[in-house]
Amino acid sequence: MSASTENSKGKGYAAIATALMVFPTLICLVADYIGPPEFLQSWFPGSQWAQSGIITWSAYLLGAVMCLWMLFVLPAIKPKKPLTTILVCVAVITLYQFFLAYINNGTGLYVKYILPAGLLVTLSSAVLSILLAYRVIPKGHTPSAIAVEAAFVSVGLEILFDVQRTQQVDLRWSLIFATAAISIVGIFEAVSYAVRINKK
């Protein structure tokens, strides 16, 4: 597969994935700002979640979507100027973190969970994007690299949550996810190797 064909496929995947993430998130932001219907407002008496004119729960959804985009879409784009692109992403994430700190009034939830989780995702995505853009990781291995990155981030997030909640690391769900991701990588690499051998 030529480099141009690979880049076209990567950009096509990125465009579709971005659209699938952005449009539902925009709908949720608008729905959150408008507020729930009257028959649902009674379910959250006195809660900010039931008020119109402010953004509450959808802000966290926005953050989750941004993290997913950086994990699964940004590396696949292989930007021509990775450092510039990553700096822009870091700036956006930083502004978002300030926004969350504002709506949470700097609460412990932000300091303990949101900020370190955002830093972990940003750093891992930046490193992988640079490795792919400069071809340290050979072309054709992008899906495997993203799967390994997702496994690494899942383990890191569970360590963060375990330490904050119980001061003990008790990996469970992340190990299951990481094992599944690595298994997918193994299958993908085996199939790719078999295809290359048959072509020869």
Side-chain angles (χ1 to χ4, degrees):
M1 183 184 298
S2 65
S4 60
T5 302
E6 184 185 4
N7 290 338
S8 298
K9 285 189 175 182
K11 290 179 180 179
Y13 156 77
I16 294 172
T18 301
L20 291 175
M21 292 179 182
V22 167
F23 292 117
T25 305
L26 289 176
I27 293 172
C28 290
L29 285 168
V30 172
D32 186 16
Y33 185 79
I34 293 174
E38 291 185 4
F39 73 92
L40 289 179
Q41 292 182 11
S42 60
W43 295 9
F44 309 97
S47 172
Q48 283 188 331
W49 292 50
Q51 297 179 22
S52 60
I54 60 174
I55 293 176
T56 52
W57 57 268
S58 62
Y60 300 98
L61 175 62
L62 174 62
V65 169
M66 290 170 64
C67 288
L68 289 174
W69 190 89
M70 289 196 68
L71 285 173
F72 296 105
V73 180
L74 178 60
I77 296 175
K78 296 181 184 134
K80 293 181 179 179
K81 297 181 179 179
L83 293 178
T84 303
T85 304
I86 289 166
L87 287 175
V88 171
C89 291
V90 169
V92 171
I93 290 291
T94 302
L95 290 174
Y96 170 74
Q97 294 278 8
F98 279 121
F99 170 69
L100 279 187
Y102 172 76
I103 67 174
N104 283 281
N105 297 317
T107 60
L109 176 67
Y110 168 77
V111 176
K112 289 182 178 180
Y113 297 103
I114 298 173
L115 179 60
L119 292 175
L120 173 63
V121 171
T122 303
L123 179 61
S124 61
S125 179
V127 170
L128 180 59
S129 297
I130 291 174
L131 293 177
L132 288 170
Y134 288 106
R135 307 214 170 194
V136 177
I137 298 176
K139 63 180 182 179
H141 297 279
T142 301
S144 297
I146 292 175
V148 171
E149 177 200 24
F152 168 78
V153 170
S154 68
V155 172
L157 289 177
E158 187 166 16
I159 290 174
L160 168 66
F161 295 147
D162 285 345
V163 169
Q164 294 293 353
R165 288 187 299 108
T166 63
Q167 286 74 51
Q168 293 181 348
V169 177
D170 183 23
L171 299 177
R172 296 193 179 198
W173 62 267
S174 64
L175 286 181
I176 296 173
F177 176 81
T179 302
I182 298 301
S183 299
I184 293 172
V185 169
I187 294 171
F188 177 82
E189 292 297 329
V191 171
S192 298
Y193 177 76
V195 170
R196 290 196 301 270
I197 292 296
N198 290 333
K199 283 184 178 180
K200 293 180 181 179

